[in-house]
Amino acid sequence: MSRFFTSGDSSSSEESEDEEELYSGGEENQEEKEDSSSEEEDEDDSSSSEDEGGRGVSRFLRDAASSEEGSEDEDQPKVVKSAKDKRLEELESVIKLLDNAVKINDWSSISSEFDKLNRVLGKIPSEKPPKQYVRIIADLEDFMNETIAKQKVSPKKMNTTNSKGLNAMKQKLKRNNKDYGGEIFKYREDKFEYLISEDEEEPTPAPRQPRAATSSTQAIEDDDQNFSTVGAGGKTLKYTAESILAHLRAFNESRGKKNTDRSGQVQIMEKLLAVATTPYQKVRVLLSLISTRFDITSGSISYMSSEQWNSANEEFGTLLEILEENREIVIVDNAEAWEDDEKQPQITPGELFKVPGSLVSMVERLDDDLTRSLQHIDPHAVEYIDRLTDSQKLYNQIVRTMMYIESLQGITNLELPQDNLNRVIIRRLEHLYFKPSQVVNIFEDKALASIPAAIDSTITPRAKKVDPSTLLSTLTTYLFEKSSDIIRGRAYLFQVYSIALNDQFFKARDMLLMSHLQETIPNFDVSTQILYNRTLVQVGLCAFRSGLVYECQNCLQEICGSGRQKELLAQGIIIQRYSQVSPEQEKLERQRQLPFHMHINLELLECVYLTCSMLLEIPLLAQVGSFPDIKKRVISKTYRRHLEFHERQIFTGPPENTRDHILQASRALAAGDWKKSVDLISAIKIWDLMAQPDKIKGMLADQIQQEGLRTYLFTYSPFYDSLEVKVLASMFELSERKVAAIVSKMISGEELAAALDQVNSAIIFRKGVELSRLQSLALTLSDKASGLIEANEKTLEQRTQGTEHRFERQGAQRGGRGGRGGIRGGAGGGRGRTRGGQQFGGGALGSAIKA
């Protein structure tokens, strides 16, 4: 073999041995890069020294390559990194990938990279998690909540892969973030300070030569070794009483701009409030602070957090206290702002100093924000109850604001619009009208206890203790005299709702009819129309509790007969399959929804409506079945539809829900078994939700007995010549006097062809012309035929206007039966068509006219 190939084989074998030594060395010392690099260099040197005796091209190429590598190593500085630094770099690279996946909303990549992030974290020897890790898991949780909230509103859904990744991350973050709750809380309190403190806690490596100081940064030295807040230009921010107005101007100018740190602004304003000395400074800071808190929302959630809302509510109370103590300072909408930031205004005792702002808008914003939070929170969770307790705090502020604005109304030099007081009073009514009297009393007592005794109202004075109905009547009367149409209409509906809630049906009905709102309600806004529907339903429920079945059915017919109770009462959204509802319209509908504690029970509403319809429809069906000549009429189409569907069923099992109980009770009542009907109606458990359920069940039993008697008389009167009142009283367990009254009413209303013999206590039925079944069917057929003829005549008149002679034959002779004849070939059986194709023949009527 040639020496050239022999040398090549030896070199390749030596190189392979060197590579094995390198790999083995790298596996043993994986965490110490500097040792492995030095071993590689020694091995390379040894291999090069062993190959010096080699000959050929390989030696030349190896020398050239080694010289180039050596020159490159000399140019680059050597960096020695510890294992912890390398793990931190790897952690940062994974965090960067996670940030990129968040930007493109790729939840599948986020899930896989999150697993990798936790694996890398497990290799870092540290008791405390790195700050960047805390940042990424907190941001991931916020981003996940925003994404879930958007998916609930947006009609466009995620693809399957993304949805699986999102569901997986929901479980992973829930388990993972439990261990780091404290660090996440610190990070969310002050993100900037939390991340900055990482650099300060870490020990500095080898000292470096100091660089020249730039003009944009200045050294900050604190005698007490505390930190100082540094602004964007590198200047130390000092919060003093003299600089408050300048800071507030800067905040007002930055409000509404992008990339504004509102949480940071709130913290700075809290510091300004602490250093404020004069009442004017406190008022200005509180106005800006409350307005800034209203702007803080987390992602797609459109309401403030509970902590921010409570802080804003407390600060609003502090603002009212300052204004009550310093009557010279007045907050007015159209006041001119103080322009001089360097000089504080001089407030002269006895003269008013106006500050621009609006207390009424702040109260309304607090109220709207609380309502939005109650709309979004699960009503069956404990959080909803905790949030609902804040309504008492808000009501206290509303009453106090009303009293303060009333006191300003008496100042002659101050011209305040009446609308401000009207808006506060209508908010007070919105918190009271749907509550029972006991709850209203509790709200009022707590509100007056929270307000100093020196502050009083002229509209509802403390000394004049009134019941809730009188309180609502007083507020409504004031608004009816001082307000415009919309506020007046809403106030009137509030009062009618409250009266109906307190079981005063006739008063509520008369007020509703006298207002004529049923004629003008389409001209009002949507929220007022919803309030009108709620008031109408409440009046109907009040009639039912009073035992007025016919009036209850009339009130509930318009709402319950449409099948859209949930939408009309703003208690839910029904999205149909082919509905043309845009996302904006759907969003508006969701904003109009009422909180859960204001809902009217829809199942109870349906139960009341169907029960009343049963008590009215069953006697009517019996009357029409026995007397075919009576014109048919329908009271409730919804009930008729349910009843027909129930009767078409081949097998009827025991009742399972409220509707089944009512329909089976209807069949029993129609068959004359009123006791079974009473048992089925009384077995409905939803009656327990109403006040005094035993009284309701007793009232229904009496109504079923009376309607059962009417149904029996309508059904079986053709088969009797006379009937004793005593027999009917024993059958239906009614008093003879009650039976006689019912029969007399039926006779006077011409519902029953009979006479009441008071001497013998009997009913004598009058027999008219009795028709057989065939005769009654013939009469029905003739009625339908006459109706069909009338409809055909109307159709003919509409289609033949201006063409009265269209069907007359021109120049043709009648040729046989049916008008056949014609000109064509002189044949007697021709069709007699004219030129121009197929012409209008008039259908069946046309053929009849031609004949």
Side-chain angles (χ1 to χ4, degrees), residues 250-387:
F251 290 149
N252 291 333
E253 290 176 355
S254 64
R255 190 180 177 190
K257 295 182 179 179
K258 292 183 178 179
N259 303 324
T260 303
D261 186 11
R262 297 186 181 91
S263 301
Q265 288 185 351
V266 167
Q267 293 176 3
I268 295 174
M269 287 185 189
E270 289 174 350
K271 295 178 182 178
L272 292 176
L273 182 61
V275 300
T277 56
T278 63
Y280 173 76
Q281 292 176 349
K282 293 179 181 179
V283 168
R284 286 287 305 273
V285 174
L286 284 171
L287 287 173
S288 300
L289 180 56
I290 296 171
S291 301
T292 307
R293 286 194 191 275
F294 287 148
D295 296 337
I296 298 178
T297 53
S298 56
S300 60
I301 302 176
S302 59
Y303 60 91
M304 299 164 60
S305 62
S306 179
E307 294 79 11
Q308 292 289 343
W309 189 91
N310 283 307
S311 299
N313 186 59
E314 292 175 2
E315 289 157 2
F316 183 77
T318 306
L319 177 61
L320 286 177
E321 290 178 4
I322 296 172
L323 292 174
E324 289 165 357
E325 294 172 358
N326 302 272
R327 292 289 179 174
E328 295 82 8
I329 303 175
V330 180
I331 297 178
V332 188
D333 296 340
N334 53 1
E336 296 182 1
W338 183 260
E339 300 292 342
D340 193 354
D341 298 339
E342 302 296 333
K343 183 182 178 182
Q344 300 290 331
Q346 298 296 327
I347 301 176
T348 306
E351 294 184 5
L352 295 178
F353 185 85
K354 299 179 182 180
V355 179
S358 177
L359 294 176
V360 181
S361 299
M362 289 183 178
V363 169
E364 290 177 340
R365 182 64 188 272
L366 285 171
D367 192 9
D368 294 340
D369 210 277
L370 180 61
T371 304
R372 279 196 297 269
S373 65
L374 291 173
Q375 288 173 348
H376 289 82
I377 297 174
D378 181 12
H380 305 291
V382 182
E383 184 185 359
Y384 189 89
I385 305 298
D386 297 339
R387 201 75 178 93

Side-chain angles (χ1 to χ4, degrees), residues 107-108 111 158-170:
W107 283 100
S108 177
S111 180
M158 280 186 178
N159 54 33
T160 309
T161 309
N162 241 10
S163 181
K164 288 181 179 178
L166 178 60
N167 293 332
M169 281 300 298
K170 193 187 302 182

Side-chain angles (χ1 to χ4, degrees), residues 141 152 194 196 200 256 265 269 280 299 388 401 432 448 458 496 499 573 594 609 613 659 710 738 757 782 798 831:
E141 186 177 3
K152 290 180 181 179
Y194 182 82
I196 286 297
E200 295 168 354
Q265 288 185 351
M269 287 185 189
Y280 173 76
L388 190 58
T401 307
L432 296 179
L448 294 176
T458 56
V496 174
I499 291 172
I573 298 176
L594 295 172
Y609 174 70
S613 299
R659 187 181 298 172
R710 285 165 49 82
K738 186 70 174 177
D757 187 358
S782 64
Q798 292 174 359
R831 288 281 183 182

